[in-house]
Amino acid sequence: MSSIAVPAAALAPRRAWLTDLPVLLVAAVWGASYLAAKGITTTHTVVAVLVLRFALVLPALAVAGHRKLRALTGAQWRGAALLGLVLSGIFLLETYGVVHTSATNAGLIISLTMIFTPLAEAAVSRTRPPRPFVAAAGLSVAGVVLLTQGGGLTTPSPGDLLMLLAALARTVHVLAMARIKAVRGADSLSLTTVQLGGAVAVFALLAAVPGTGASPWSVAAGFGPREWAGLLFLSLFCTLFAFFVQMWAVRRTSPSRVSLLLGTEPLWAAAAGTAIAGEHLGALGLVGAGLVLAGTTWGRRAADHADC
């Protein structure tokens, strides 16, 4: 970012609240996105829905950042395209995962990315993570185990395992963004546009392969008002709106504050799943959800203190 972030402590209370509110709204729509995706997607329409979701917003991003897109170097295009390939894997795992598990489980399990990323970074850099962070990671993992046993001691569902893989894939994406030198200085909007373009290309290629499900056009033709509302919610709010709010907020407050607010996403996922879809965690699931939230919050604070 070219602008210098203003320390959160320097913000007037009213201005801080006006900045925090849109970021909290992003966390809320992201939390609700699992339920929205579950409502309009089946195993046979995952790829088609992903094509439609990102094809709707890609032109707007390309128009908004066309000048800086032209300024990208060949190395930056290649680096962003590689990140787009990883991103396509993340969305495939998440969307297939949410079809086969509850929206609540999906939102809570994916939050493990906040634990996996610092652990993976420590492993790559061959540094020892702080003991409190390791303890927080263990607490979160224990929470996920209990969360997936909400209905009793059973084998985790395929959806739970896919969401766990998606959390690991998100970790790979974050580390790749930090380690691919070519993209470090790239414009954020251009980088996002190329990544989403690469992901859409992957989804379009998969949609053309026989046996991967219905085509995007047949799925779109079969959508009713409820399905179109869900798709537009995922495209406009969970993708376009969320990206621009993050860019806007990080220029007005600290990245840490933005990260903390976005970290409430699993709370919103659980709230949406419980209030709207009537999902029930059970006693073990409630304990597990509490442990996941406690572990990720503790882990984030431990990582922040280690960076100070």
Side-chain angles (χ1 to χ4, degrees), residues 75-89 172-173 176 180 183 191 194-195 198-199:
Q76 288 173 331
W77 274 93
R78 290 190 294 272
L82 178 60
L83 291 171
L85 184 62
V86 179
L87 193 66
S88 67
V172 171
H173 186 259
I180 297 177
V183 303
L191 182 62
V194 176
Q195 286 187 79

Side-chain angles (χ1 to χ4, degrees), residues 28 49 78 92 97 106 152 161 168 174 179-180 197 235 249-250 254 274 293:
V49 168
R78 290 190 294 272
L92 285 167
L161 297 177
L168 291 170
V174 172
R179 291 185 169 272
I180 297 177
S235 298
V250 81
S254 69
T274 303
L293 295 174

Side-chain angles (χ1 to χ4, degrees), residues 172-241:
V172 171
H173 186 259
V174 172
L175 292 181
M177 286 190 69
R179 291 185 169 272
I180 297 177
K181 294 181 180 179
V183 303
R184 290 179 185 172
D187 171 66
S188 296
L189 176 57
S190 301
L191 182 62
T192 300
T193 303
V194 176
Q195 286 187 79
L196 289 181
V200 169
V202 171
F203 302 146
L205 287 173
L206 288 176
V209 175
T212 55
S215 71
W217 328 117
S218 63
V219 170
F223 272 180
R226 184 182 68 85
E227 288 80 12
W228 274 109
L231 182 65
L232 290 174
F233 174 75
L234 290 170
S235 298
L236 300 181
F237 288 93
C238 301
T239 306
L240 195 62
F241 168 76

Side-chain angles (χ1 to χ4, degrees), residues 10 19 26 29 52 58 62 65 75 79 81 90 112 136 138 157 162 167 195 200 205 241 279 283 292:
T19 303
V26 169
V29 298
L52 294 171
L58 194 58
I90 293 171
L112 288 177
S157 73
L162 287 171
Q195 286 187 79
V200 169
L205 287 173
F241 168 76
E279 296 176 354
V292 170

Side-chain angles (χ1 to χ4, degrees), residues 24-40 53 98 103-104 106-107 229-230 233-234 237-238 264-274 276-277 279:
L24 276 175
L25 184 57
V26 169
V29 298
W30 276 355
S33 69
Y34 302 103
L35 188 60
K38 191 175 181 68
I40 66 171
R53 172 180 175 178
V98 79
T104 301
F233 174 75
L234 290 170
F237 288 93
C238 301
T264 62
E265 176 189 347
L267 288 174
W268 297 106
T274 303
I276 300 175
E279 296 176 354

Side-chain angles (χ1 to χ4, degrees), residues 236-253:
L236 300 181
F237 288 93
C238 301
T239 306
L240 195 62
F241 168 76
F243 172 75
F244 282 110
V245 165
Q246 286 182 87
M247 286 188 64
W248 171 81
V250 81
R251 287 181 169 94
R252 287 160 175 78
T253 183

